[in-house]
Amino acid sequence: MTEAVKTLAPVMCVVGARPNFMKMAPILRALASHEPPIPALLLHTGQHYDTDMSKKLFVDLGLPQPDINLEVGSGSHAVQTAEVMKRFEPTLDEYKPSCVLVVGDVNSTLACTLVAVKKGVPVAHVEAGLRSYDRKMPEEINRLLTDQVADRLYTTERSAADNLAREGIDLARVCFAGNVMIDSVEASRAHARPAAQTLRDHSLDPALVAARYGVVTLHRPSNVDDPQTLKHLLDLLAKVSRDLPLVFAMHPRTRSNIERFGLQAVLDPARVAVLPPQGYLEMQGLMGGATLVLTDSGGLQEETTALGVPCLTLRENTERPITVEQGTNTLIGLDGAALLAGVAEILAGKGKQGRVPEFWDGHAAERIAADLYQWLTPLSA
């Protein structure tokens, strides 16, 4: 073992919410398998507060149990961000990591970045440079601020470097590594849970997914918090379900609002199977067998492109433009006519085929580990 490796303190890897888990799992494996191994600590802020679902996701993804759990829980954006910062600072002081590695764009990402940078601890941001240019999205603010102050920026697509350059960021801080989300997709393909089994597990008729079916997720406040918007989207799903049965993995926020606004009767249970939030392997199985996916999720836009499944995104913009330019994704917004036309086109066999983008090959985490070692070693000497 070299002297540099002896003196290299652990990398503190931060997760806070469900999308982070998929990105961090391959990174931790890559750090451990790097030659020489790069020591790491896994810190869970507890921003994702569904304990049972968190545990299941850790098992599905092969994530080790966290070394540290801040147990922050829910709250407004301000409260949650502040609470992560308060609890993270003494942890940083105690463990003295070589750097803090953050992923994605959740509140924990920004909170831990701010604390580390102000204390002079280097920060690496995985999934840097993605922009929707919609500052009404809290995630956009988190992305912008994290990228401005982080020391090492790992991008998933080449256009991200252009975004960073426009914001005055020195491209010497940027490394195009590829998409670690796809590393998890590739690692899980052989273990994905069959869609029929997932329905049986919830006492639903597996015949619904015996032939063609669609998968639905909706969770963004702009889509589910306004009663008129939510009713409009549910009406559209009801129309789609007449031609294509749907499996709706329903976010707790969406379910709560459907009940609060009295919209339970809009969806036909014979044509729309409503499930609670699903584990990673269940979602991979549902999406992998689907004819199409209807979503407002950023991660699902990437996963459907990797799986070659047409995706209709119920948003006006995306921070992942490569999924539209090269992949299987189409932005629909709230345009009902466009949605129904898009579904009809896919059912007629004319949906976007797309292609898998550069470095979405299952090896992004290995490239990150190799670069991280080269970057950290001189800093730790």
Short mmCIF file of all heavy atoms in Angstrom, two decimals, residues 81 105 109-111 113-114 117 123 125 130-131 135 138-151 153 164 167 169 173:
data_model
loop_
_atom_site.label_atom_id
_atom_site.label_comp_id
_atom_site.label_asym_id
_atom_site.label_seq_id
_atom_site.Cartn_x
_atom_site.Cartn_y
_atom_site.Cartn_z
N THR A 81 -33.54 21.63 5.07
CA THR A 81 -32.17 22.02 4.71
C THR A 81 -31.41 22.47 5.94
O THR A 81 -30.25 22.07 6.17
CB THR A 81 -32.19 23.13 3.65
OG1 THR A 81 -32.92 22.69 2.50
CG2 THR A 81 -30.77 23.50 3.22
N ASP A 105 -29.83 16.27 -6.59
CA ASP A 105 -30.29 17.65 -6.41
C ASP A 105 -31.29 17.81 -5.28
O ASP A 105 -32.08 18.75 -5.28
CB ASP A 105 -30.92 18.14 -7.73
CG ASP A 105 -32.00 17.20 -8.25
OD1 ASP A 105 -32.56 16.41 -7.45
OD2 ASP A 105 -32.30 17.25 -9.46
N THR A 109 -28.35 17.29 -0.62
CA THR A 109 -27.20 17.55 -1.48
C THR A 109 -26.66 18.95 -1.23
O THR A 109 -25.46 19.15 -1.01
CB THR A 109 -27.61 17.40 -2.96
OG1 THR A 109 -28.14 16.08 -3.17
CG2 THR A 109 -26.45 17.66 -3.89
N LEU A 110 -27.54 19.94 -1.28
CA LEU A 110 -27.12 21.32 -1.07
C LEU A 110 -26.68 21.56 0.36
O LEU A 110 -25.66 22.20 0.62
CB LEU A 110 -28.26 22.28 -1.44
CG LEU A 110 -27.99 23.76 -1.16
CD1 LEU A 110 -26.78 24.24 -1.97
CD2 LEU A 110 -29.22 24.60 -1.47
N ALA A 111 -27.44 21.05 1.32
CA ALA A 111 -27.14 21.31 2.73
C ALA A 111 -25.75 20.81 3.11
O ALA A 111 -24.96 21.54 3.73
CB ALA A 111 -28.20 20.64 3.61
N THR A 113 -23.28 20.12 1.10
CA THR A 113 -22.29 20.85 0.32
C THR A 113 -21.93 22.17 0.99
O THR A 113 -20.76 22.52 1.15
CB THR A 113 -22.81 21.12 -1.11
OG1 THR A 113 -22.99 19.87 -1.78
CG2 THR A 113 -21.85 21.98 -1.90
N LEU A 114 -22.94 22.93 1.41
CA LEU A 114 -22.69 24.23 2.03
C LEU A 114 -21.86 24.10 3.31
O LEU A 114 -20.93 24.87 3.55
CB LEU A 114 -24.01 24.92 2.33
CG LEU A 114 -24.81 25.41 1.13
CD1 LEU A 114 -26.17 25.96 1.57
CD2 LEU A 114 -24.04 26.47 0.35
N VAL A 117 -18.13 23.00 2.32
CA VAL A 117 -17.36 24.05 1.66
C VAL A 117 -16.96 25.14 2.65
O VAL A 117 -15.82 25.63 2.66
CB VAL A 117 -18.17 24.64 0.49
CG1 VAL A 117 -17.54 25.93 -0.02
CG2 VAL A 117 -18.26 23.64 -0.65
N VAL A 123 -15.56 19.08 -1.94
CA VAL A 123 -16.85 18.47 -2.29
C VAL A 123 -16.82 18.02 -3.74
O VAL A 123 -16.39 18.76 -4.64
CB VAL A 123 -18.01 19.47 -2.09
CG1 VAL A 123 -19.32 18.88 -2.61
CG2 VAL A 123 -18.14 19.84 -0.62
N HIS A 125 -19.46 16.59 -6.69
CA HIS A 125 -20.89 16.50 -7.00
C HIS A 125 -21.09 15.62 -8.22
O HIS A 125 -20.61 15.92 -9.31
CB HIS A 125 -21.47 17.90 -7.28
CG HIS A 125 -22.93 17.89 -7.58
ND1 HIS A 125 -23.55 18.83 -8.37
CD2 HIS A 125 -23.92 17.02 -7.20
CE1 HIS A 125 -24.84 18.56 -8.46
NE2 HIS A 125 -25.08 17.47 -7.76
N LEU A 130 -26.79 19.58 -14.78
CA LEU A 130 -28.12 19.39 -15.36
C LEU A 130 -28.98 20.62 -15.06
O LEU A 130 -29.00 21.11 -13.94
CB LEU A 130 -28.79 18.14 -14.78
CG LEU A 130 -28.10 16.81 -15.06
CD1 LEU A 130 -28.90 15.66 -14.46
CD2 LEU A 130 -27.90 16.60 -16.56
N ARG A 131 -29.68 21.11 -16.06
CA ARG A 131 -30.48 22.33 -15.89
C ARG A 131 -31.81 22.21 -16.62
O ARG A 131 -31.87 21.85 -17.80
CB ARG A 131 -29.74 23.55 -16.46
CG ARG A 131 -28.42 23.88 -15.79
CD ARG A 131 -28.61 24.39 -14.38
NE ARG A 131 -27.32 24.72 -13.77
CZ ARG A 131 -26.58 23.87 -13.05
NH1 ARG A 131 -27.02 22.63 -12.82
NH2 ARG A 131 -25.43 24.27 -12.53
N ARG A 135 -36.67 27.94 -12.48
CA ARG A 135 -36.29 28.20 -11.09
C ARG A 135 -37.45 28.07 -10.12
O ARG A 135 -37.29 28.28 -8.92
CB ARG A 135 -35.63 29.58 -10.99
CG ARG A 135 -34.30 29.64 -11.72
CD ARG A 135 -33.44 30.77 -11.22
NE ARG A 135 -32.15 30.78 -11.91
CZ ARG A 135 -31.10 31.49 -11.51
NH1 ARG A 135 -31.19 32.24 -10.41
NH2 ARG A 135 -29.99 31.46 -12.18
N PRO A 138 -37.62 23.56 -6.87
CA PRO A 138 -36.61 23.62 -5.81
C PRO A 138 -35.32 22.90 -6.19
O PRO A 138 -34.22 23.33 -5.81
CB PRO A 138 -37.30 22.95 -4.62
CG PRO A 138 -38.76 23.09 -4.89
CD PRO A 138 -38.91 23.04 -6.38
N GLU A 139 -35.45 21.80 -6.94
CA GLU A 139 -34.26 21.03 -7.33
C GLU A 139 -33.31 21.86 -8.20
O GLU A 139 -32.09 21.67 -8.14
CB GLU A 139 -34.67 19.76 -8.08
CG GLU A 139 -35.50 18.79 -7.27
CD GLU A 139 -37.00 19.01 -7.44
OE1 GLU A 139 -37.40 20.11 -7.87
OE2 GLU A 139 -37.76 18.07 -7.14
N GLU A 140 -33.88 22.77 -9.01
CA GLU A 140 -33.03 23.60 -9.86
C GLU A 140 -32.15 24.52 -9.02
O GLU A 140 -30.96 24.72 -9.32
CB GLU A 140 -33.89 24.42 -10.82
CG GLU A 140 -33.10 25.27 -11.82
CD GLU A 140 -32.53 24.48 -12.98
OE1 GLU A 140 -32.62 23.23 -12.99
OE2 GLU A 140 -31.98 25.11 -13.89
N ILE A 141 -32.71 25.08 -7.96
CA ILE A 141 -31.93 25.93 -7.07
C ILE A 141 -30.83 25.11 -6.41
O ILE A 141 -29.67 25.55 -6.31
CB ILE A 141 -32.83 26.57 -5.99
CG1 ILE A 141 -34.00 27.32 -6.65
CG2 ILE A 141 -32.03 27.48 -5.09
CD1 ILE A 141 -33.59 28.38 -7.64
N ASN A 142 -31.15 23.91 -5.96
CA ASN A 142 -30.15 23.03 -5.34
C ASN A 142 -29.02 22.72 -6.32
O ASN A 142 -27.84 22.72 -5.94
CB ASN A 142 -30.79 21.74 -4.86
CG ASN A 142 -31.75 21.93 -3.70
OD1 ASN A 142 -31.72 22.96 -3.03
ND2 ASN A 142 -32.61 20.95 -3.46
N ARG A 143 -29.37 22.45 -7.58
CA ARG A 143 -28.35 22.13 -8.59
C ARG A 143 -27.43 23.33 -8.83
O ARG A 143 -26.20 23.19 -8.87
CB ARG A 143 -29.03 21.73 -9.91
CG ARG A 143 -29.71 20.38 -9.90
CD ARG A 143 -30.17 19.98 -11.29
NE ARG A 143 -31.36 20.69 -11.73
CZ ARG A 143 -32.60 20.21 -11.65
NH1 ARG A 143 -32.81 19.02 -11.11
NH2 ARG A 143 -33.61 20.90 -12.09
N LEU A 144 -28.04 24.48 -9.05
CA LEU A 144 -27.25 25.68 -9.34
C LEU A 144 -26.26 26.00 -8.24
O LEU A 144 -25.07 26.26 -8.51
CB LEU A 144 -28.20 26.87 -9.53
CG LEU A 144 -28.95 26.98 -10.86
CD1 LEU A 144 -30.16 27.90 -10.72
CD2 LEU A 144 -28.01 27.50 -11.94
N LEU A 145 -26.72 26.02 -7.00
CA LEU A 145 -25.86 26.41 -5.89
C LEU A 145 -24.79 25.37 -5.60
O LEU A 145 -23.64 25.70 -5.31
CB LEU A 145 -26.71 26.68 -4.65
CG LEU A 145 -27.72 27.84 -4.79
CD1 LEU A 145 -28.53 28.00 -3.51
CD2 LEU A 145 -27.01 29.14 -5.13
N THR A 146 -25.16 24.10 -5.66
CA THR A 146 -24.18 23.03 -5.42
C THR A 146 -23.05 23.10 -6.43
O THR A 146 -21.87 23.03 -6.07
CB THR A 146 -24.87 21.65 -5.46
OG1 THR A 146 -25.86 21.57 -4.44
CG2 THR A 146 -23.85 20.53 -5.26
N ASP A 147 -23.38 23.28 -7.70
CA ASP A 147 -22.34 23.31 -8.74
C ASP A 147 -21.43 24.53 -8.60
O ASP A 147 -20.24 24.46 -8.94
CB ASP A 147 -22.98 23.29 -10.12
CG ASP A 147 -23.54 21.92 -10.49
OD1 ASP A 147 -23.13 20.93 -9.87
OD2 ASP A 147 -24.39 21.85 -11.40
N GLN A 148 -21.96 25.64 -8.12
CA GLN A 148 -21.13 26.84 -7.99
C GLN A 148 -20.02 26.66 -6.97
O GLN A 148 -18.92 27.18 -7.16
CB GLN A 148 -22.00 28.04 -7.58
CG GLN A 148 -22.72 28.70 -8.74
CD GLN A 148 -21.76 29.33 -9.74
OE1 GLN A 148 -20.74 29.89 -9.39
NE2 GLN A 148 -22.10 29.21 -11.01
N VAL A 149 -20.27 25.91 -5.90
CA VAL A 149 -19.29 25.85 -4.82
C VAL A 149 -18.56 24.52 -4.70
O VAL A 149 -17.55 24.43 -4.01
CB VAL A 149 -19.94 26.22 -3.46
CG1 VAL A 149 -20.44 27.65 -3.49
CG2 VAL A 149 -21.07 25.27 -3.10
N ALA A 150 -19.06 23.48 -5.36
CA ALA A 150 -18.38 22.18 -5.29
C ALA A 150 -17.03 22.25 -6.01
O ALA A 150 -16.84 23.07 -6.92
CB ALA A 150 -19.26 21.08 -5.89
N ASP A 151 -16.11 21.38 -5.61
CA ASP A 151 -14.75 21.42 -6.15
C ASP A 151 -14.57 20.54 -7.37
O ASP A 151 -13.79 20.86 -8.27
CB ASP A 151 -13.77 20.98 -5.06
CG ASP A 151 -13.84 21.86 -3.84
OD1 ASP A 151 -13.20 22.93 -3.84
OD2 ASP A 151 -14.56 21.50 -2.89
N LEU A 153 -16.76 18.24 -10.31
CA LEU A 153 -18.10 18.10 -10.88
C LEU A 153 -18.11 16.98 -11.91
O LEU A 153 -17.42 17.05 -12.92
CB LEU A 153 -18.52 19.43 -11.53
CG LEU A 153 -18.51 20.65 -10.61
CD1 LEU A 153 -18.74 21.93 -11.40
CD2 LEU A 153 -19.56 20.51 -9.53
N LEU A 164 -22.43 24.53 -17.37
CA LEU A 164 -21.52 24.98 -16.32
C LEU A 164 -20.64 26.13 -16.81
O LEU A 164 -20.39 27.10 -16.08
CB LEU A 164 -20.66 23.81 -15.83
CG LEU A 164 -21.45 22.68 -15.14
CD1 LEU A 164 -20.56 21.46 -14.95
CD2 LEU A 164 -21.99 23.15 -13.80
N GLU A 167 -22.21 29.43 -16.74
CA GLU A 167 -22.34 29.95 -15.38
C GLU A 167 -21.00 30.35 -14.77
O GLU A 167 -20.90 30.64 -13.58
CB GLU A 167 -23.05 28.90 -14.50
CG GLU A 167 -24.49 28.67 -14.92
CD GLU A 167 -25.09 27.38 -14.39
OE1 GLU A 167 -24.46 26.77 -13.50
OE2 GLU A 167 -26.17 26.98 -14.85
N ILE A 169 -18.17 28.57 -14.53
CA ILE A 169 -17.44 27.52 -13.81
C ILE A 169 -16.27 27.05 -14.66
O ILE A 169 -16.41 26.76 -15.85
CB ILE A 169 -18.39 26.36 -13.47
CG1 ILE A 169 -19.38 26.82 -12.39
CG2 ILE A 169 -17.62 25.13 -13.00
CD1 ILE A 169 -20.51 25.86 -12.11
N ARG A 173 -12.60 21.91 -13.44
CA ARG A 173 -13.25 21.24 -12.30
C ARG A 173 -14.21 20.14 -12.75
O ARG A 173 -14.76 19.42 -11.91
CB ARG A 173 -14.07 22.26 -11.49
CG ARG A 173 -13.23 23.27 -10.74
CD ARG A 173 -14.02 24.52 -10.36
NE ARG A 173 -15.25 24.22 -9.64
CZ ARG A 173 -16.21 25.13 -9.42
NH1 ARG A 173 -16.09 26.36 -9.89
NH2 ARG A 173 -17.31 24.79 -8.75
#
